[in-house]
Amino acid sequence: MTTSSLPILDRDLQSGDLTLKLAEIAEEAARLILPFWRSGTAVETKSDDSPVTQADRAAEALILERLAALYPGVQTVAEEAVAADGAPTQTDDWFWLIDPLDGTRGFVRGGEAFTVNIALIHEGYPVAGVVTAPASETTWRSDRPGGGALRRQYGAVHEGEAHAGAEWRPIAVRDRPQEGVALLSHSITDEEATRLAARHGCAHWQGTDSSLKFCLIAEGRFDAYPRTGPTSEWDTAAGQAVLEAAGGRVLAEDGQRFRYGKPRFLNGPFVAIGG
């Protein structure tokens, strides 16, 4: 990192300006992605058998350009760059984790649960994060440290004037109800989902894609997101930052707070929980 970037980065983090700037970048990337949605865009298969589209690559290029202009020299770990060039062998104390289009499989199918994710990691933990859902024109972000979490519908603008929905509004996890509801990946069977939800104290479950699951728990609509299958760190970091800011937790199998900068940036099992 350049010597000039760290004071600016930390100042913006402490004031809450950092995630405001990240939200603007994520929403710009979302607007870039939307024309590719439900347009029959070409799909390629990466070496790990996951799909990639021109939308993924264009959004990542935009995000990297904007971050480099704002905070030059801060290490970036971004999904498509890692797929093309390999993962860094080590991380700095501060680094970005970026998923320009999380939920590409659903995006290709025409589903709505895909997101843009930008997170800042400091000494192994997410300290700031933004998640944007292009289909619903909604953004969630952490505020300054200790300042909670916020949500807005950035598309709620009419004739140049923002509706009330376009304002940032605080969100928080809910207390666990008597019959909690879990969010689970579509990649598992109904039987496995029912068993996994019950293991984490939830009587019901619903399937959805992408980091949207963290945000729906953060705004108090659901209670848990257990995950046993493989994910990458850029899939979870921004969502974790938002959920933790809203009063939730993301825990590894040993019950400790979920960490980042692991070998090859691969995650083990975890559970994200609300109140």
Side-chain angles (χ1 to χ4, degrees):
M1 181 186 300
T2 62
T3 56
S4 60
S5 288
L6 181 54
I8 297 169
L9 186 73
D10 192 49
R11 179 202 66 196
D12 286 355
L13 173 65
Q14 298 303 323
S15 68
D17 286 347
L18 177 70
T19 53
L20 276 173
K21 294 175 181 179
L22 297 184
E24 291 175 358
I25 295 170
E27 290 165 4
E28 185 180 0
R31 293 185 181 99
L32 184 64
I33 287 168
L34 271 182
F36 295 97
W37 184 42
R38 296 176 176 172
S39 69
T41 187
V43 183
E44 300 173 34
T45 302
K46 295 187 285 190
S47 59
D48 64 357
D49 203 34
S50 64
V52 63
T53 69
Q54 189 178 347
D56 297 75
R57 293 182 173 130
E60 181 165 301
L62 183 148
I63 293 167
L64 293 175
E65 180 181 346
R66 298 291 185 266
L67 290 177
L70 285 172
Y71 307 108
V74 180
Q75 184 182 27
T76 57
V77 180
E79 180 177 16
E80 305 315 328
V82 169
D85 304 321
T89 56
Q90 61 184 25
T91 57
D92 296 339
D93 285 346
W94 298 83
F95 68 96
W96 302 108
L97 272 171
I98 301 157
D99 190 341
L101 205 173
D102 184 29
T104 302
R105 293 183 194 277
F107 172 81
V108 170
R109 292 194 304 267
E112 297 184 358
F114 56 94
T115 56
V116 179
N117 299 265
I118 308 173
L120 178 64
I121 308 300
H122 182 224
E123 296 182 346
Y125 296 104
V127 293
V130 166
V131 177
T132 291
S136 64
E137 298 183 312
T138 305
T139 297
W140 299 261
R141 69 177 177 95
S142 59
D143 198 359
R144 66 187 183 278
L150 302 162
R151 174 189 188 270
R152 76 172 174 189
Q153 291 204 253
Y154 62 89
V157 176
H158 178 65
E159 295 180 352
E161 295 186 4
H163 288 179
E167 300 172 359
W168 289 108
R169 297 182 178 277
I171 58 172
V173 300
R174 69 184 182 186
D175 291 336
R176 178 70 69 93
Q178 187 172 357
E179 293 192 344
V181 184
L183 285 168
L184 293 159
S185 170
H186 278 133
S187 63
I188 61 176
T189 66
D190 287 0
E191 183 181 3
E192 183 182 359
T194 300
R195 188 167 54 246
L196 192 56
R199 188 188 309 167
H200 292 279
C202 292
H204 308 285
W205 64 272
Q206 181 173 313
T208 193
D209 296 319
S210 81
S211 60
L212 193 59
K213 293 185 280 292
F214 293 94
C215 300
L216 295 177
I217 297 170
E219 61 181 47
R221 294 170 59 185
F222 294 88
D223 304 293
Y225 163 35
R227 180 77 182 222
T228 57
T231 56
S232 296
E233 292 189 350
W234 46 76
D235 296 323
T236 60
Q240 178 172 343
V242 171
L243 178 55
E244 289 180 340
R249 292 175 290 166
V250 182
L251 306 175
E253 276 191 306
D254 61 2
Q256 298 301 305
R257 187 185 178 198
F258 212 47
R259 286 186 60 91
Y260 292 84
K262 300 182 290 294
R264 295 186 295 152
F265 300 93
L266 295 176
N267 290 327
F270 64 86
V271 60
I273 53 177

